[in-house]
Amino acid sequence: MKQIIVILSLFAFGHLAAAQDTLRLTLDEAVALARKQSPQAVAARHQYRAAYWNWRSFKADYLPSLTFSSNSQLNRSISPVTLPDGTDSFVHRNQLLNDGSMTINQNIALLGGSVFVQSGLQRLDIFSENQYSFKSTPVVIGYSQNLFGYNYLKWNKRIEPVRYSTAQKQYAETLELVASEAAMRFFQLATAQNNFRSASYNYANADTLFSYAKGRYEIGTITENEMLQLEINYLSEQTNRLNARIEMDDRIQDLRSFLGITENMEMVAEVSEAVPHFTVPVDDALQLARQNSPDMELLALQKLQSESAVAYAKASRGFKADLYMQFGLSQTDRSFANVYHNPLNQQLVSLGIRIPILDWGVGRGRVEVAKSNLEKVKIDIAQARTDFDSNVIKLVKQFNLQADKVAIARKTSERAARRNDVAYRLYLLGKSTVLDLNAAIAEKDRSQRDYIRELQNYWSLYYGLRSITGWDFENNRSIIVSRQEY
């Protein structure tokens, strides 16, 4: 009877899976799928893409830029003008001004200014007199700078590389955290499947024992109390089996949603008992974590931004001056053929200054606030580094022990399953009580769940260690994405 019910139960489960498309996944396949198409992974890729193009834009700020500009202005109006004798008169204007220029600009990060080279040509048409003329500027060299001001070019050159490095490491960390989340949901499904199999097996055994007990009760070899206990066990296992099926369906939906699978299909988690067995040196992990963790990069970025804020507050407080210089050649003529002949020199120098006389301590207050924030950031960084090191050491020690815990849990599960078989046979022979049988069943189910949980803990620690160190210890290679990969 027991064998028939077990076969029917497993057949029903297999038939239900075959009724829809069934996706059988190993852990590696689930992780690969999560990294490729899970919503979290897709969002991480877009976030990294944005950081990459921000980095490209930053680099472009320090390269020469070439710009062409053109403007046309038609003026048909009556405007007042001042005559040589000092009187004003209205003059009818009917003219068209066209100009074009090419400019090469280069920012100078060391000084915080920019130098440019420009060449341009203008044409003025006066329609009322049927005349036209040209003005050329063959070459103009200029330089502009904010003296004693905040040099954003210099600070960006320090901050932006750290920001982009942080984005690279955050992307690698996110993919590992996605893998860890996928492993967790994979093993949740594996646990639900195991619970359903155990519930089906226990239900089949409970049915067999209840049928056997009714026969024994009729001949008076067991008491009514024992028979009723077996009937209660049978009903309980029937309920457990229904609940296990509901839980398994929920876990399938959770994993399917996380992996970004929109098709309505059954999923089966195929659990491998093999786990990589290697030891991670604590010192190596600590060094790699300090080097590759985005948390450390974020701390360095916070410090740089705070130092930049202090520099900005100091520059905004005191004496400021703007310098603009321009030297070049220029010529004008009514003939285009002569407009570039014998050009004349032109110079323009402008210097503007701003000196705060009385601000009632506003500038000083901003500087002091920025300094206080910087000191606070330094203290927070020191504490964060201490906590970070402690977490890394704890994680490494847990991982180094987890493979042994998996082996112990596996052996315990095997022994519990064997004990359950022995207890079942002893009860059929009348050499064991219902309480012993129930205890063996409970121990079997618990040890199976514990074994899968230890597997889940192993892979959670495995991917957690990869995420925090940016290193694949199993294959001894970095997992940080390089700039050329995007």
Side-chain angles (χ1 to χ4, degrees):
M1 183 67 178
K2 177 187 75 172
Q3 289 79 3
I4 294 176
I5 294 178
V6 171
I7 293 173
L8 289 175
S9 175
L10 295 178
F11 175 78
F13 173 66
H15 177 72
L16 183 59
Q20 307 176 62
D21 293 334
T22 301
L23 178 62
R24 309 184 71 88
L25 284 177
T26 63
L27 176 61
D28 290 341
E29 291 170 343
V31 167
L33 202 58
R35 285 173 170 167
K36 178 182 179 182
Q37 66 182 44
S38 69
Q40 291 84 342
V42 173
R45 275 194 292 274
H46 284 295
Q47 185 175 0
Y48 176 63
R49 181 181 288 115
Y52 171 78
W53 286 108
N54 283 335
W55 165 257
R56 288 283 301 269
S57 299
F58 154 74
K59 295 288 288 183
D61 284 340
Y62 299 84
L63 299 175
S65 63
L66 177 63
T67 306
F68 171 76
S69 60
S70 176
N71 184 52
S72 296
Q73 180 180 349
L74 175 64
N75 185 0
R76 299 183 62 188
S77 63
I78 298 177
S79 305
V81 296
T82 301
L83 300 178
D85 60 1
T87 61
D88 292 337
S89 177
F90 289 100
V91 177
H92 181 266
R93 297 180 184 273
N94 188 7
Q95 62 188 33
L96 174 64
L97 178 64
N98 294 295
D99 69 77
S101 63
M102 296 285 288
T103 305
I104 299 176
N105 187 80
Q106 173 67 61
N107 290 325
I108 310 297
L110 181 63
L111 301 176
S114 64
V115 61
F116 66 90
V117 179
Q118 186 179 73
S119 177
L121 177 67
Q122 291 180 326
R123 170 173 170 155
L124 178 62
D125 290 89
I126 304 177
F127 299 119
S128 58
E129 300 178 8
N130 197 23
Q131 295 180 358
Y132 62 87
S133 60
F134 297 91
K135 176 187 177 184
S136 69
T137 50
V139 60
V140 175
I141 300 175
Y143 180 77
S144 62
Q145 180 181 344
N146 183 357
L147 302 176
F148 313 110
Y150 174 76
N151 188 348
Y152 77 94
L153 292 171
K154 181 187 75 172
W155 281 104
N156 282 353
K157 206 166 186 177
R158 296 179 60 187
I159 291 174
E160 292 304 322
V162 178
R163 192 191 304 276
Y164 181 61
S165 177
T166 301
Q168 288 180 297
K169 296 173 182 179
Q170 283 179 331
Y171 179 55
E173 180 190 52
T174 300
L175 291 183
E176 296 306 314
L177 294 177
V178 166
S180 179
E181 180 72 12
M184 183 192 74
R185 293 175 185 266
F186 175 87
F187 282 107
Q188 286 177 344
L189 174 57
T191 301
Q193 290 176 171
N194 177 76
N195 291 342
F196 181 75
R197 285 192 295 267
S198 295
S200 299
Y201 178 80
N202 295 339
Y203 171 70
N205 283 348
D207 181 75
T208 301
L209 291 175
F210 178 52
S211 300
Y212 177 71
K214 287 190 291 185
R216 292 179 64 185
Y217 176 72
E218 290 176 358
I219 62 175
T221 56
I222 63 172
T223 64
E224 181 181 7
N225 179 64
E226 189 170 356
M227 188 198 69
L228 291 174
Q229 180 61 52
L230 290 171
E231 184 178 6
I232 292 173
N233 289 352
Y234 166 73
L235 295 173
S236 297
E237 294 299 342
Q238 190 174 13
T239 301
N240 292 340
R241 184 171 177 273
L242 294 174
N243 291 335
R245 176 69 237 194
I246 294 173
E247 180 190 8
M248 185 173 67
D249 289 340
D250 290 343
R251 295 308 180 187
I252 289 174
Q253 179 61 34
D254 290 344
L255 181 59
R256 192 165 57 206
S257 174
F258 181 78
L259 296 180
I261 299 175
T262 57
E263 294 83 1
N264 185 22
M265 61 174 62
E266 285 288 314
M267 301 183 72
V268 177
E270 297 184 340
V271 179
S272 173
E273 297 181 349
V275 295
H277 202 299
F278 57 91
T279 301
V280 177
V282 174
D283 292 340
D284 291 351
L286 199 57
Q287 180 180 357
L288 288 168
R290 292 170 179 170
Q291 176 183 334
N292 296 331
S293 174
D295 294 340
M296 293 295 99
E297 292 285 355
L298 283 173
L299 295 177
L301 183 60
Q302 289 177 7
K303 182 180 178 183
L304 282 174
Q305 289 174 332
S306 297
E307 292 172 348
S308 173
V310 172
Y312 180 81
K314 288 182 177 179
S316 301
R317 174 190 179 187
F319 173 82
K320 292 178 284 293
D322 295 318
L323 173 65
Y324 181 84
M325 298 182 295
Q326 177 179 305
F327 304 92
L329 301 174
S330 180
Q331 183 58 278
T332 181
D333 197 276
R334 292 186 177 183
S335 171
F336 178 76
N338 299 324
V339 74
Y340 285 97
H341 290 175
N342 302 319
L344 304 176
N345 293 332
Q346 67 173 21
Q347 300 87 28
L348 173 63
V349 178
S350 172
L351 177 65
I353 62 173
R354 297 185 300 279
I355 303 175
I357 303 300
L358 180 65
D359 66 354
W360 304 102
V362 173
R364 179 183 177 184
R366 290 172 179 170
V367 172
E368 294 303 322
V369 169
K371 287 182 177 179
S372 296
N373 290 336
L374 176 59
E375 293 303 317
K376 180 180 180 299
V377 167
K378 289 180 179 179
I379 295 173
D380 293 342
I381 288 175
Q383 182 61 47
R385 284 176 175 169
T386 301
D387 296 340
F388 178 81
D389 290 351
S390 299
N391 291 335
V392 172
I393 294 172
K394 180 181 177 181
L395 181 62
V396 172
K397 290 181 176 180
Q398 288 177 336
F399 175 79
N400 288 338
L401 296 175
Q402 190 60 32
D404 293 333
K405 294 177 68 175
V406 170
I408 293 172
R410 177 183 176 183
K411 188 173 183 179
T412 302
S413 177
E414 293 172 351
R415 295 297 183 270
R418 182 177 177 183
R419 181 200 170 197
N420 178 74
D421 293 339
V422 171
Y424 180 80
R425 290 196 300 269
L426 288 176
Y427 183 80
L428 291 178
L429 295 173
K431 296 180 179 180
S432 178
T433 65
V434 175
L435 293 178
D436 293 335
L437 179 61
N438 289 342
I441 294 173
E443 182 64 27
K444 171 184 69 71
D445 294 343
R446 183 170 60 253
S447 63
Q448 289 175 345
R449 288 192 297 268
D450 290 344
Y451 172 55
I452 296 178
R453 185 171 61 250
E454 292 300 339
L455 281 173
Q456 177 181 332
N457 291 340
Y458 176 88
W459 289 108
S460 176
L461 292 169
Y462 176 87
Y463 288 113
L465 190 60
R466 285 167 57 101
S467 70
I468 202 171
T469 61
W471 194 261
D472 180 0
F473 289 95
E474 185 179 4
N475 299 306
N476 195 30
R477 62 182 181 85
S478 174
I479 61 174
I480 304 297
V481 62
S482 67
R483 297 176 186 176
Q484 290 76 21
E485 290 184 38
Y486 220 115

